Amino acid sequence: MSLNLKLSQRETTFNSEVVTRFELYNSLFQTLPFYQVKDTGILLPFFSSHCEKGAAMNASPTDIIETFFKKYVPDIDHREQINRMFRFIQYIERQVVLFDAIEDSSFNKLGKFDDSGTLQSLLQQAAISDETRKNISEKLKDFSLRLVLTAHPTQFYPGTVLGIMTDLIEAVKVNDITSIDVLLQQLGKTPFFNKTSPTPVDEAISLSWFLENIFYYAVSGIQAKLEEEFDIDASSQLLEMGFWPGGDRDGNPNVTTESTKAVASYLRQRLFRCYYRDFRNLKRRITFRGVEKPMAKLEKLIYKNANEHGDPKDIQAELLSLLQTVKQTIITDHDSLFVDIVEDLMQKVRLFGCYFATLDIRQDSRILRSVFDYVTERTETGIPAGYNDTEETDKLKNIAFNEVDFKRPDDADDMTSDTLDTIRLMKQIQHSNGEKACQRFIISNCQRASDILQLIDLFLWSGWKKESLSVDFMPLFETVNDLTRAGEIMEQLYTHPYYAEHLKLRGNRQTIMLGFSDSTKDGGYLMANWSIYKAKVELTAMARKYGVSLAFFDGRGGPPARGGGKTHRFYASMGNEIANEHIQLTIQGQTVSSQYGSVETARFNMEQLINAGIISSLHPNRNDLLDNRHKKLISEMAEVSHKLFLALRAHPLFVEYLEKFSPLKLLSRINISSRPTKRNAGAPLKLEDLRAISFVTSWSQLKQSIPGFYGVGTALKLMKDEGNWAEIQELYQTSGFFKTMLDNCMMSMSKSDFRVTAYLEKDEKFGDFWKMLKNEFELTRTMLLELTGSAVLMEEYPVERRSIAIREKIVLPLVIIQHYALQCLNNSQDAELIEIYDKLVIRTVYGIVNAGRNLA
């Protein structure tokens, strides 16, 4: 089937299965019971249409709102108008859920047109010849995929809503109108947001819904299929889960040792409840003689760990031994009847052990340095006096690696106490839940090799022994400058005698985390992508030079401006200059629910990542290995884009514009995260203190996806002006890396809508600034359309383009309401009304972000 025919059929299916059904079920919203306001559902279509017409005319949000009420509800006062807007928001939030559910329910029918990167295509290749099958098996032996769930505050659906969505998806699949109607009513009465901010433990509980209901089944299903089809040892774990809530304390003062301990305990308990659910099914089938004792012992062990805390210990080996006994008896004495059910539970115990997901610990290097100094000042560690005043090379020589059992004083400050207590807690968690339960320590803002080595000393001063230091130390390089120095730092570590010895104990494997968010905020979209690419090439060469097996842990996921987008295409485009045997990435925000919200979608997206890793290794595309000329061209583009982005950041109106016309100042009041929106919470807002996620979210609410495109148009125009256009066109057609980067940029731009803020063009203070942003947007769109030979952005992805357009249409009234409320805030002195406008802005954020799914 040709690609164009596939696209056409997929688009036809999308129209019939998603668009038509959404229009049908959307009519049910007119009957949803919201606070006895019976005409809201009837008024909403008129309001939506009025917003569309107003936006098309570049009318200001204030004009759009005021003319609507004057025309349709002329007899109500201003406060009742606000009340109606709150009601509209309630409806629109739930329209987004309905669209999500309908789109997800059609996944199987839409996904069949895009199986090129799934497990099925891998099996088809394996069927070609025994040699191909053998080659894939060999690659799988050295391959792993780790998805790490993070608690970034861009996922607004609580567990209660996710549960309703799951039921709604199943009802929509079979067009069960009665159930859909009831579920929509339930949705109407179910809160979408918290009255208070969640704690880190609350976030962990919320996110663990996906572990329990999705990944528990999807991960084991894929692993079983791979073992069945290829020559892979059952002990080889291809898929792993990671977890950040409760462990990621980088800049989050609310994460404590107690929350880390509570989350580790909770993950263990939820896992054993999953095991117990499976065991009850096993018990109903395995009713034969000869298995009574191991079955009874299994039940007692699993039930106890599912319901009691006590003094837990790692019992993975014991569980597997008992299950193996049951399995062998069934094979020997009972014709292997129901042996597949036993093997399924064994598979899950092998994959998840007693921990469910590895709880990563993350802390900023500056805090770790402070704790290092604290300990050296209070006890004899072997660190010489004046150590901090020496050069880095001398530091590396003077770190002694002595084992010292330092007892933390009671009067230590909170950060010091948390760091030292958590290091000791990691040992306890490994004892109770297994080594994999908590074995990774990530150093944010890692700027030198001594940051890693000093942290190792902190472990040796906190009860850990050199020969049994079962921890992987992972630098996180994120800013453009840090990425530039990453190769040099890693060479210092690989050549350091003690660190080289530690790596041997860890199987000579090194994981390096490369963050995307801060590099985008720091250097702009092109420079962030290019800096990470160059760093990966250099770090791969360095690891190969010293015989180290390297895994990159990518802080991706979410919007393209934070590294997300077509992630599997990104991994498929890695040339052999970049280590790609182990794929590790964060999944966060809307990406969790949009790509991993059901077992079907989770399997599909994980299979695509596995396929991308294997195929890029098995059949490397020579065009993915950029030659020196192409590297020079991309580097020139990145530099030009970088300069333009830095000039934008330095503009005197930059921060003020964000504060005045986006919900930036109010994000801290949205009760979805335990993380503050910026570091140095008590200080005035400075760009460097602003968290990347707040930065990106603010621009997305403005409908100006600056972090996802700014500077790209100027860079492309430079290439054309210098006579390099033909080469850039060829590069787009042949390089997976370059094409994926620009395709994701177009996705960001598809979610921009400068019509909403067009009224600012005439603003005395901000008019020129707004026009500068708009001009770069228009230039970038023009250049991308010319480069791709397209009439519209994302022409190559018609279904995704249509999906985005429908979502943007659904939430346009929310965007208009938000900007109206912001305009009112900027012109009001009434304290009571200011508080109401604040709430109005805050309430609109939820639906806008949820509709974006991978919003940027």
Side-chain angles (χ1 to χ4, degrees):
M1 189 186 294
S2 71
L3 178 61
N4 286 337
L5 182 58
K6 266 190 174 184
L7 288 174
S8 175
Q9 290 185 354
R10 189 165 180 253
E11 195 171 4
T12 301
T13 302
F14 181 81
N15 287 334
S16 62
E17 293 294 324
V18 179
V19 179
T20 301
R21 288 207 287 179
F22 176 69
E23 289 170 353
L24 172 66
Y25 295 139
N26 193 29
S27 63
L28 293 173
F29 275 95
Q30 293 184 8
T31 62
L32 284 183
F34 286 140
Y35 299 102
Q36 308 302 314
V37 183
K38 295 177 182 177
D39 61 346
T40 306
I42 298 168
L43 271 177
L44 183 57
F46 295 103
F47 182 60
S48 298
S49 176
H50 191 81
C51 288
E52 284 180 57
K53 290 174 184 174
M57 295 168 60
N58 290 338
S60 77
T62 299
D63 288 342
I64 293 171
I65 297 293
E66 289 179 351
T67 54
F68 170 78
F69 283 115
K70 187 175 181 180
K71 180 176 181 180
Y72 290 98
V73 199
D75 300 326
I76 60 175
D77 63 16
H78 182 59
R79 289 177 186 268
E80 181 55 28
Q81 289 176 355
I82 293 172
N83 184 47
R84 296 297 175 99
M85 284 186 268
F86 276 115
R87 303 288 81 78
F88 286 151
I89 291 168
Q90 285 183 294
Y91 271 78
I92 294 167
E93 284 173 338
R94 286 149 180 84
Q95 280 182 314
V96 173
V97 173
L98 177 61
F99 189 79
D100 281 351
I102 291 172
E103 201 168 46
D104 290 347
S105 74
S106 307
F107 180 79
N108 270 346
K109 293 178 181 177
L110 289 168
K112 70 179 181 182
F113 297 105
D114 190 21
D115 63 358
S116 58
T118 62
L119 196 53
Q120 187 60 36
S121 67
L122 209 58
L123 296 176
Q124 288 169 357
Q125 291 195 45
I128 295 171
S129 69
D130 289 341
E131 184 180 355
T132 305
R133 182 177 293 275
K134 183 182 176 183
N135 288 338
I136 293 174
S137 295
E138 286 301 311
K139 293 295 179 186
L140 284 168
K141 286 177 184 176
D142 296 323
F143 177 83
S144 66
L145 168 65
R146 180 188 292 260
L147 298 180
V148 182
L149 296 168
T150 71
H152 282 61
T154 54
Q155 162 58 315
F156 293 161
Y157 293 142
T160 49
V161 172
L162 289 170
I164 297 170
M165 282 179 70
T166 301
D167 294 339
L168 196 53
I169 289 167
E170 295 306 312
V172 169
K173 280 181 182 177
V174 294
N175 291 319
D176 183 350
I177 298 288
T178 304
S179 294
I180 292 168
D181 188 39
V182 171
L183 287 166
L184 289 177
Q185 289 189 50
Q186 181 188 355
L187 198 63
K189 292 179 175 292
T190 301
F192 268 45
F193 54 93
N194 308 306
K195 289 188 175 180
T196 57
S197 292
T199 66
V201 177
D202 293 333
E203 289 174 331
I205 291 170
S206 177
L207 212 48
S208 69
W209 185 93
F210 292 94
L211 285 176
E212 186 176 353
N213 294 283
I214 309 297
F215 292 107
Y216 181 72
Y217 301 103
V219 168
S220 60
I222 296 174
Q223 178 84 21
K225 187 68 174 175
L226 288 169
E227 287 179 18
E228 178 188 327
E229 296 289 343
F230 300 101
D231 181 21
I232 305 168
D233 191 275
S235 62
S236 175
Q237 188 167 349
L238 292 167
L239 296 104
E240 303 168 318
M241 296 303 300
F243 206 72
W244 272 21
D248 176 18
R249 60 243 306 129
D250 175 27
N252 186 347
N254 299 310
V255 176
T256 64
T257 308
E258 284 305 310
S259 55
T260 302
K261 185 177 181 180
V263 170
S265 176
Y266 181 82
L267 288 176
R268 176 192 172 92
Q269 187 179 55
R270 296 314 298 180
L271 174 62
F272 272 93
R273 290 188 179 179
C274 290
Y275 289 161
Y276 189 67
R277 189 171 56 204
D278 279 3
F279 179 81
R280 288 177 66 84
N281 184 43
L282 181 70
K283 189 179 176 183
R284 281 197 297 272
R285 297 289 170 263
I286 310 301
T287 53
F288 320 132
R289 293 193 182 279
V291 297
E292 297 90 347
K293 284 186 178 179
M295 287 289 286
K297 192 166 184 182
L298 271 169
E299 181 167 28
K300 185 177 179 181
L301 269 177
I302 295 174
Y303 182 83
K304 179 181 178 182
N305 281 276
N307 293 285
E308 299 174 18
H309 292 287
D311 183 23
K313 61 179 180 178
D314 181 16
I315 57 170
Q316 181 186 31
E318 188 177 2
L319 291 175
L320 288 173
S321 175
L322 289 166
L323 285 165
Q324 180 63 34
T325 301
V326 173
K327 176 183 173 181
Q328 197 56 51
T329 303
I330 293 173
I331 293 172
T332 305
D333 300 338
H334 302 290
D335 305 315
S336 298
L337 188 60
F338 299 127
V339 73
D340 57 323
I341 305 177
V342 182
E343 288 174 338
D344 178 64
L345 184 52
M346 289 179 73
Q347 175 79 267
K348 288 165 179 167
V349 174
R350 276 197 297 268
L351 287 168
F352 302 115
C354 297
Y355 59 94
F356 221 155
T358 299
L359 185 58
D360 288 349
I361 306 299
R362 184 171 74 135
Q363 186 54 283
D364 189 279
S365 63
R366 290 161 292 193
I367 289 170
L368 297 174
R369 288 174 207 155
S370 172
V371 178
F372 179 85
D373 293 343
Y374 179 92
V375 178
T376 55
E377 289 167 6
R378 284 163 177 77
T379 192
E380 181 54 50
T381 60
I383 301 296
Y387 166 86
N388 278 332
D389 299 325
T390 60
E391 296 294 324
E392 175 71 357
T393 51
D394 292 326
K395 282 189 172 73
L396 300 184
K397 293 175 187 174
N398 288 328
I399 297 177
F401 305 105
N402 292 325
E403 293 173 2
V404 179
D405 191 15
F406 176 73
K407 304 295 185 185
R408 173 185 61 78
D410 293 337
D411 62 354
D413 64 86
D414 290 344
M415 279 296 185
T416 300
S417 298
D418 176 72
T419 302
L420 295 173
D421 291 350
T422 299
I423 287 172
R424 289 184 181 269
L425 175 65
M426 287 177 70
K427 195 175 187 68
Q428 295 174 31
I429 293 173
Q430 288 194 8
H431 170 74
S432 61
N433 296 7
E435 183 182 314
K436 287 186 177 180
C438 194
Q439 62 173 168
R440 306 181 354 145
F441 201 117
I442 301 161
I443 301 95
S444 301
N445 192 42
C446 187
Q447 297 177 329
R448 52 202 192 202
S450 58
D451 284 336
I452 300 278
L453 299 180
Q454 289 178 182
L455 177 59
I456 291 177
D457 255 356
L458 288 177
F459 273 76
L460 297 178
W461 301 339
S462 303
W464 290 80
K465 303 296 181 185
K466 292 179 191 177
E467 68 277 2
S468 58
L469 184 51
S470 50
V471 176
D472 297 314
F473 298 96
M474 296 164 45
L476 166 54
F477 303 113
E478 190 152 25
T479 66
V480 172
N481 285 336
D482 290 348
L483 287 164
T484 304
R485 297 198 302 268
E488 175 192 345
I489 291 170
M490 293 315 298
E491 183 165 36
Q492 289 176 321
L493 287 169
Y494 295 149
T495 55
H496 190 280
Y498 179 81
Y499 193 76
E501 193 62 34
H502 174 72
L503 272 189
K504 280 184 186 175
L505 289 173
R506 305 302 295 160
N508 239 25
R509 293 173 178 266
Q510 175 67 56
T511 303
I512 298 173
M513 185 172 184
L514 300 176
F516 202 100
S517 301
D518 278 336
S519 51
T520 308
K521 182 168 80 83
D522 182 43
Y525 182 73
L526 273 184
M527 181 56 87
N529 275 280
W530 184 233
S531 296
I532 289 173
Y533 182 92
K534 287 193 299 179
K536 282 193 169 186
V537 171
E538 185 180 2
L539 289 165
T540 299
M542 199 65 70
R544 288 170 180 169
K545 177 180 177 181
Y546 293 101
V548 173
S549 174
L550 180 62
F552 286 116
F553 176 21
D554 290 301
R556 304 179 70 85
R562 297 206 333 275
K566 297 287 184 182
T567 309
H568 64 282
R569 290 199 178 102
F570 164 81
Y571 285 109
S573 70
M574 295 293 102
N576 60 16
E577 281 186 305
I578 294 176
N580 206 29
E581 294 83 7
H582 306 284
I583 293 177
Q584 301 185 18
L585 70 155
T586 54
I587 54 172
Q588 54 197 246
Q590 314 92 312
T591 306
V592 184
S593 56
S594 64
Q595 295 187 11
Y596 303 93
S598 70
V599 176
E600 289 171 341
T601 56
R603 282 197 63 156
F604 179 83
N605 283 291
M606 284 191 283
E607 286 177 14
Q608 283 204 315
L609 289 168
I610 293 168
N611 185 286
I614 297 301
I615 295 304
S616 69
S617 175
L618 207 59
H619 307 297
N621 184 341
R622 64 178 181 82
N623 293 312
D624 286 329
L625 190 63
L626 297 170
D627 61 29
N628 289 333
R629 172 61 179 166
H630 286 148
K631 288 178 179 177
K632 183 174 184 295
L633 290 173
I634 297 175
S635 186
E636 280 183 37
M637 292 173 64
E639 286 295 338
V640 170
S641 171
H642 187 215
K643 285 178 183 175
L644 193 72
F645 190 77
L646 289 182
L648 175 66
R649 282 180 35 140
H651 195 289
L653 292 178
F654 185 79
V655 174
E656 188 180 354
Y657 180 83
L658 265 185
E659 283 190 300
K660 200 173 183 70
F661 301 111
S662 84
L664 175 61
K665 289 193 291 188
L666 297 171
L667 290 179
S668 61
R669 292 176 54 183
I670 299 176
N671 295 320
I672 55 161
S673 173
S674 65
R675 291 162 63 100
T677 56
K678 68 186 184 76
R679 295 174 174 88
N680 299 324
L685 179 64
K686 290 188 296 185
L687 185 60
E688 55 267 31
D689 289 337
L690 186 63
R691 290 191 176 279
I693 195 161
S694 304
F695 179 73
V696 171
T697 298
S698 298
W699 284 112
S700 69
Q701 296 285 312
L702 259 169
K703 289 298 164 190
Q704 298 171 4
S705 305
I706 298 300
F709 77 82
Y710 198 82
V712 175
T714 295
L716 287 171
K717 187 173 185 302
L718 175 75
M719 290 295 104
K720 187 175 182 181
D721 292 346
E722 291 186 346
N724 302 320
W725 195 239
E727 288 181 277
I728 296 298
Q729 287 177 310
E730 180 204 8
L731 189 60
Y732 178 78
Q733 295 299 328
T734 58
S735 166
F737 163 74
F738 191 67
K739 177 176 169 54
T740 302
M741 181 170 66
L742 293 189
D743 285 353
N744 282 341
C745 174
M746 285 189 276
M747 185 191 297
S748 281
M749 295 180 71
S750 297
K751 297 171 184 180
S752 295
D753 189 350
F754 275 81
R755 300 175 308 168
V756 176
T757 49
Y759 69 96
L760 289 174
E761 184 175 5
K762 298 173 184 175
D763 188 273
E764 188 175 327
K765 182 175 182 180
F766 295 97
D768 289 342
F769 184 80
W770 181 88
K771 280 187 275 190
M772 181 175 69
L773 302 179
K774 175 73 163 23
N775 290 342
E776 181 63 20
F777 176 84
E778 294 296 345
L779 175 63
T780 303
R781 178 164 59 186
T782 300
M783 299 309 299
L784 285 172
L785 292 178
E786 185 178 343
L787 177 67
T788 59
S790 304
V792 292
L793 294 174
M794 293 185 71
E795 188 174 287
E796 194 178 334
Y797 309 102
V799 168
E800 288 82 354
R801 187 180 78 244
R802 186 80 194 280
S803 174
I804 289 170
I806 294 171
R807 289 172 178 279
E808 292 300 308
K809 183 178 178 180
I810 291 170
V811 297
L812 179 61
L814 293 185
V815 178
I816 299 293
I817 290 172
Q818 181 185 109
H819 286 275
Y820 166 74
L822 286 168
Q823 281 187 282
C824 290
L825 276 171
N826 292 333
N827 297 299
S828 179
Q829 302 296 321
D830 185 319
E832 187 181 345
L833 276 176
I834 286 173
E835 182 63 25
I836 294 171
Y837 295 143
D838 281 351
K839 288 179 181 176
L840 198 57
V841 171
I842 289 166
R843 281 297 309 280
T844 60
V845 171
Y846 293 86
I848 296 170
V849 171
N850 283 336
R853 284 208 157 180
N854 63 343
L855 195 62

